[in-house]
Amino acid sequence: MTDAPITEADLDLITRIIPHRYPFLLVDKVRDIVKGESCVGIKNVTYNEPHFTGHFPGMPIMPGVMIVEAMAQTAGVLVGITMDLVDKNAKVFFMGVEAAKFRRKVVPGDVLELHVKALRGGGRVWRFEGRAMVAGELAAEATYTAMFDVPKG
């Protein structure tokens, strides 16, 4: 009997794959995982997140760089599942962000869906295409590259 493929990651599994923690963990759940190909991250945007204190007082808007970071964290979970990095203390580092575009505000109460597609990968360096959606509407998009560092031993 073989193990069923992992198609979903809850908060516990996410934190066993990527090193991010509150207040910088920006993904609550990952679903529709297809190893080596794609997945969808879920970020529930709430008013009590620290960046809303200053961005902007009286008009809280999730910073675009935080949306791109949430896409990258989602991609990190995809790679972690693909390369069996659960509990391996792997680190992930941005190498580049291209073609980032922001189409609508993301505000408290929104559910951000982070659609991530691997364009190139398999080793330490991966390239992704990400689209952040709110209620079926495009909020942001970017192409980005990341390097994964897995400690020896």
Side-chain angles (χ1 to χ4, degrees), residues 92-148:
V92 58
F93 303 98
F94 260 134
M95 293 178 69
V97 177
E98 301 89 32
K101 294 185 173 98
F102 304 96
R103 305 293 186 194
R104 82 181 289 284
K105 293 184 275 188
V106 176
V107 299
D110 284 344
V111 176
L112 198 57
E113 288 191 1
L114 307 152
H115 296 258
V116 170
K117 179 180 170 186
L119 300 176
R120 184 183 74 229
R124 290 181 56 180
V125 177
W126 288 65
R127 185 167 176 78
F128 305 94
E129 172 184 273
R131 291 179 303 117
M133 310 289 291
V134 175
E137 187 178 347
L138 183 64
E141 59 189 326
T143 303
Y144 49 99
T145 307
M147 180 182 70
F148 292 80

Side-chain angles (χ1 to χ4, degrees), residues 11 18-19 22 33 36 49 55 74 84 89 96 101-102 117 120 134 139 144:
L11 199 53
I18 62 175
Y22 178 84
I33 300 169
E49 295 176 53
H55 198 266
T74 300
D84 190 27
N89 198 27
K101 294 185 173 98
F102 304 96
K117 179 180 170 186
R120 184 183 74 229
V134 175
Y144 49 99

Side-chain angles (χ1 to χ4, degrees), residues 37-56:
E37 292 181 25
S38 62
C39 64
V40 178
I42 303 296
K43 164 67 176 143
N44 296 301
V45 181
T46 61
Y47 183 75
N48 62 344
E49 295 176 53
H51 48 263
F52 289 131
T53 304
H55 198 266
F56 298 101

